[in-house]
Amino acid sequence: MTSRSRTAPAHIAMFSIAAHGHVNPSLEVIRELVARGHRVTYAIPPAFAEKVAETGAEPKLWNSTLPGPDADPSAWGSELLDHVEIFLADAMQALPQLIEAYEGDEADVPDLVLQDITAYPARVLAHRWGVPAISLSPNLVAWEGYQEEVAEPLWAEPRSTGRGKAYYARFQAWLEEYGVDLHPDSFAGRPDRSLVLIPRVLQPNADRVDETVYSFVGACQGDRAAQGDWERPAGAEKVVLVSLGSTFTNQPGFYRECVRAFGDLPGWHLVLQIGQRVDPAALGDVPANVEVRSWVPQFAILKQADLFVTHAGAGGSQEGLATATPMIAVPQAVDQFGNADILQALGVARHVPSADATAETLRSTALALVDDPEVARRLKEIQAEMAKEGGTRRAADLIEAELPVEQG
């Protein structure tokens, strides 16, 4: 007979880094697993311990060497090797901490490991413990042909340098030290099983993604009441939210252009999120119809907004789609450029490069978008498609399906 069925309470361990864009997408999945009776531990640096604890999971704290969640983007370096070296160094110093946390005086080895795509130690630990590992991807995943079309051209020059060769040698030696027989590229980019926490429409070449490995569950939204509410001002005919997320916010010049674009537009109300590093005084005189905040309950506002000016991060892009809000995409870094192009190709957004994001361009683009019935139709169509992907509950179902069944 079996000592527990596949869906009986289990210990599930989640691993991530202290970054909003990597923690936030997983939180509702974790909350759902806890609600189903599972014990969930969540290995995370202290900056996110409180947010994790609110889901009912137990934080397992470790100290990270990565730039903090509010660090200036320049702290991550300017080249590909800068970025990946930081992640590898952090993983190498984190692993002994995590081994102690789970294998110390009171051994606490889980039944299954969940890992954000940046949490390299998690896959090593799953191998060490002989338990299943599932990657939770908050952004695009590799498709058949990705290696030849994207990875090889991207890495051709860095891989040929002494520094690049040293990076790969260091990564390979670390894997071998812990008995992992994989090339670093496969280890970091080719999970055995993955849940993709974005809508399928945001995935490039989705028709070439191996869905025996990758399951698109879409946006895992939940009750955001704890983040606060927002009330649309009386008399506001149109509401526009401007947000560049949590990292790329030090853009006072861009915010001034947004004030110029919407500040004297009759009937419009502008909600401007400027982050922690910009002094509101740097914006100059702000009209009464402009609401300046360091942080906003984004999803609550988008449910009532008529336009979203976004950096096109994965989280913001899918929230715009989930609320059927037309978007102006002004990408700042990494995958945001690709997301902006996809949103434009879907017919729900316009991609405006940062250098072109003048008040005049933002205003003319906004007026064209919000009055276009085809944009509205396409947004409603995508919103309906996303609702069918299953979200949080389907993600939890798929995780439970991977739990090992103990024989007894």
Side-chain angles (χ1 to χ4, degrees):
M1 60 179 289
T2 58
S3 58
R4 67 168 172 82
S5 68
R6 200 173 270 240
T7 55
H11 175 192
I12 299 170
M14 173 70 194
F15 296 79
S16 192
I17 61 169
H20 296 284
H22 290 269
V23 173
N24 291 347
S26 71
L27 291 178
E28 293 308 319
V29 178
I30 299 304
R31 195 188 310 276
E32 176 69 14
L33 291 170
V34 171
R36 294 186 183 197
H38 299 294
R39 176 176 173 241
V40 183
T41 55
Y42 199 126
I44 193 72
F48 280 80
E50 183 176 349
K51 179 175 278 194
V52 163
E54 288 172 354
T55 68
E58 305 168 30
K60 290 267 193 181
L61 301 184
W62 57 280
N63 295 314
S64 174
T65 57
L66 293 176
D70 297 318
D72 190 277
S74 63
W76 293 91
S78 59
E79 300 178 11
L80 177 60
L81 282 171
D82 296 335
H83 194 68
V84 297
E85 285 174 343
I86 289 174
F87 272 107
L88 179 58
D90 187 55
M92 292 174 72
Q93 67 86 36
L95 185 54
Q97 296 181 60
L98 294 168
I99 290 173
E100 175 60 28
Y102 282 91
E103 299 180 12
D105 294 337
E106 298 182 11
D108 197 17
V109 173
D111 300 293
L112 180 143
V113 162
L114 299 177
Q115 62 163 120
D116 177 76
I117 56 173
T118 58
Y120 295 168
R123 195 171 186 186
V124 173
L125 289 170
H127 174 80
R128 180 183 178 95
W129 297 329
V131 301
I134 304 175
S135 164
L136 301 185
S137 179
N139 49 30
L140 64 86
V141 296
W143 56 87
E144 295 304 320
Y146 175 87
Q147 186 67 26
E148 299 78 13
E149 297 165 19
V150 177
E152 290 179 5
L154 182 68
W155 274 96
E157 193 276 330
R159 202 192 301 266
S160 68
T161 66
R163 182 182 172 192
K165 291 175 182 176
Y167 164 77
Y168 269 97
R170 188 161 61 252
F171 204 150
Q172 191 74 63
W174 180 63
L175 294 176
E176 291 174 357
E177 178 184 354
Y178 289 95
V180 178
D181 185 22
L182 289 173
H183 185 275
D185 290 345
S186 297
F187 173 85
R190 292 287 183 175
D192 294 327
R193 186 76 176 93
S194 179
L195 304 186
V196 191
L197 308 181
I198 63 171
R200 196 172 187 272
V201 294
L202 284 177
Q203 169 66 42
N205 301 302
D207 59 327
R208 288 194 275 153
V209 172
D210 182 355
E211 296 197 29
T212 65
V213 174
Y214 299 99
S215 296
F216 289 90
V217 298
C220 294
Q221 313 287 4
D223 182 3
R224 306 289 186 88
Q227 295 183 3
D229 203 357
W230 183 83
E231 186 173 343
R232 185 183 179 112
E237 298 173 16
K238 301 289 186 185
V239 170
V240 52
L241 170 63
V242 174
S243 172
L244 298 181
S246 58
T247 301
F248 302 95
T249 58
N250 192 15
Q251 305 288 344
F254 170 71
Y255 301 138
R256 286 192 292 268
E257 293 298 312
C258 290
V259 172
R260 285 183 56 222
F262 303 107
D264 63 353
L265 198 56
W268 284 64
H269 181 83
L270 167 61
V271 182
L272 185 60
Q273 177 180 282
I274 62 173
Q276 304 291 335
R277 293 192 292 276
V278 173
D279 184 346
L283 305 183
D285 293 332
V286 175
N289 68 322
V290 178
E291 182 180 338
V292 179
R293 304 268 200 100
S294 61
W295 181 88
V296 298
Q298 181 167 289
F299 199 58
I301 296 174
L302 286 176
K303 288 178 180 178
Q304 306 173 64
D306 301 280
L307 178 69
F308 184 22
V309 181
T310 172
H311 64 312
S317 297
Q318 66 184 6
E319 287 186 356
L321 293 175
T323 56
T325 308
M327 287 171 272
I328 298 177
V330 188
Q332 305 295 305
V334 292
D335 63 327
Q336 297 158 20
F337 299 98
N339 291 340
D341 287 338
I342 289 173
L343 291 170
Q344 180 164 282
L346 289 171
V348 300
R350 299 292 182 270
H351 178 179
V352 177
S354 288
D356 299 335
T358 63
E360 294 74 20
T361 297
L362 291 170
R363 179 184 291 202
S364 62
T365 304
L367 293 173
L369 274 171
V370 299
D371 290 330
D372 189 335
E374 180 60 21
V375 171
R377 184 199 67 78
R378 186 68 180 122
L379 279 164
K380 288 296 185 183
E381 186 176 86
I382 292 172
Q383 187 183 46
E385 291 173 7
M386 288 172 59
K388 298 175 184 177
E389 291 181 315
T392 302
R393 289 185 179 179
R394 180 163 175 252
D397 290 344
L398 292 171
I399 289 166
E400 288 185 330
E402 298 294 329
L403 284 168
V405 177
E406 295 178 355
Q407 302 293 323

